[in-house]
Amino acid sequence: MEHALYGAVLIGWTAAAVAAFLFLLRTSAPYGRHTRAGWGPLIGKRWGWFLQELPAPLVMALLFALGDRQGNRVAWVWLALWELHYLHRVFVYPLRLRGGTAKMPLAIVGSAIAFNVINGYLQGRYLFTLGPLPPTSWLGDPRFLGGLLLFVSGMLLNLDSDNRLFALRRGDAADPYPTPHGGAFALVTSPNYLGELIEWIGWALLTNAPAAAAFALWTAANLVPRALAHHRFYRARDPSYPPRRKAIIPFVL
Ligand code: NDP
C-alpha cells in the first residue's frame, strides 16, 4: 500500500519540479535581492533559514530511526552525508548571514518547510525502508565513489562561494551587492548554486535512488532560474560586469 502511495507522490513531485522551473523562470522567489512587497508578513532571515531548513535533518533522522536499516553500514553513510549538509545549513549558515535584505516572507519559509518535509520523506523512506537493502560492497562501487566525489566537491564549492559572498559584507561598504570576484566567480555568477547542484547530482549517484534524482531535478528547477535572475541583476547595474562570466554553467549558461 505504501509502495503505491510513495510511487504516486514521487511522480507528482517530479512533475511539480518541471512546473516550478517554468514558474520560476518568470517569477523570482521573493527573498534576498529579489524581495518585494505583496508577499505577506515577513520574518528575520536568520530565523527564516533556521526554521525552513530544520525539517530536513529531523525528518531524515526520524525515518532512519523508524526504518529497518540501523544495522546497515551504507544506510549510516547516507544518513551521515545528509546530516553533514543540513546541520551546517540549519545551525551554521543562518548565523553567518549579515546585512543586505534583513527579512524574508513567511510564505517562502512555509513553502520551504513543506518542501523539506516532502523531500525528506521521499529520500528517507526509500533509503531506510522501501528501497532495496544495500550491500556493504556498494561503498566500493564506482557509482558510489563518483557520487561521493561530486557530493564533497560540490559542497566545498558551495561553501567557498558563500564564504566569498559573506566576506563582501565584512566592511561597511554602502553597496550590499558589490560584484563578487575570485574562486569560481571567475567563471559563473552563482558558483554557490553550481556547487549545490553538483552536490545533489552526487547524492543521486551515491544513493542510486529515484527520489534523489528528483531532488537534483528540483535543485536545478530552483537554482537555474535564480542564477539567471542574479546574472541579469549584476549585468543591469554594472556595465563592466565580466562579459565572459556565465550565470551557472561555466562556458555554457
Ligand atoms: P545568494 O547567492 O542569493 O546569497 C547568498 C548569501 O550571500 C546571502 O546572504 C546574500 O545576502 C549574500 N550575497 C549575495 N550576493 C552578494 C553580494 N554581491 N555581496 C554581498 N553579499 C551577497 O543565495 P541564496 O540566498 O539564494 O541561497 C543561500 C544558500 O542556500 C546557497 O548556498 C544555495 O546554494 C542554497 N540553496 C539551495 C537550494 C536548493 O534547492 N537545494 C535552494 C535555495 C538555496 P541577501 O540574502 O541579503 O541577498
Side-chain angles (χ1 to χ4, degrees):
M1 169 69 181
E2 191 186 351
H3 270 102
L5 177 70
Y6 180 93
V9 173
L10 182 57
I11 290 170
W13 189 240
T14 307
V18 176
F21 175 71
L22 296 174
F23 177 76
L24 291 170
L25 278 178
R26 293 162 153 266
T27 310
S28 297
Y31 72 92
R33 79 195 66 188
H34 305 292
T35 302
R36 51 206 182 273
W39 288 83
L42 304 174
I43 181 174
K45 68 179 172 185
R46 284 187 168 170
W47 276 109
W49 274 94
F50 171 74
L51 290 172
Q52 73 182 21
E53 302 299 315
L54 187 59
L58 289 183
V59 168
M60 201 69 143
L62 180 69
L63 292 176
F64 181 78
L66 293 176
D68 55 10
R69 309 277 157 96
Q70 291 92 356
N72 184 279
R73 211 172 275 182
V74 180
W76 276 100
V77 172
W78 287 337
L79 179 68
L81 292 172
W82 181 271
E83 298 295 329
L84 177 70
H85 174 91
Y86 275 108
L87 292 179
H88 167 266
R89 186 66 83 215
V90 171
F91 293 106
V92 181
Y93 181 80
L95 293 176
R96 305 195 64 207
L97 300 176
R98 62 177 73 215
T101 326
K103 297 195 171 213
M104 63 199 293
L106 265 177
I108 287 286
V109 175
S111 56
I113 288 173
F115 178 92
N116 280 318
V117 169
I118 298 170
N119 191 46
Y121 164 75
L122 287 172
Q123 312 295 315
R125 201 62 182 150
Y126 185 87
L127 296 179
F128 303 138
T129 304
L130 301 177
L133 188 69
T136 305
S137 62
W138 175 249
L139 298 176
D141 189 286
R143 286 166 292 175
F144 176 84
L145 294 172
L148 184 64
L149 184 67
L150 289 179
F151 187 88
V152 172
S153 49
M155 182 182 277
L156 292 176
L157 175 59
N158 176 266
L159 290 173
D160 176 72
S161 310
D162 276 342
N163 283 342
R164 289 174 192 276
L165 291 175
F166 295 145
L168 292 173
R169 290 205 184 138
R170 253 183 225 134
D172 49 3
D175 180 1
Y177 295 105
T179 296
H181 291 283
F185 283 102
L187 295 173
V188 291
T189 292
S190 296
N192 52 346
Y193 294 170
L194 174 62
E196 185 94 26
L197 188 53
I198 291 173
E199 204 177 332
W200 296 116
I201 291 172
W203 172 255
L205 269 176
L206 72 87
T207 56
N208 200 26
F215 184 24
L217 187 69
W218 258 106
T219 303
N222 271 318
L223 297 185
V224 171
R226 197 163 180 84
L228 292 170
H230 281 17
H231 198 62
R232 287 193 297 272
F233 169 91
Y234 285 117
R235 283 248 149 114
R237 71 206 294 271
D238 180 1
S240 65
Y241 194 72
R244 295 161 75 94
R245 192 181 291 188
K246 296 292 184 182
I248 182 164
I249 314 259
F251 313 111
V252 177
L253 180 70

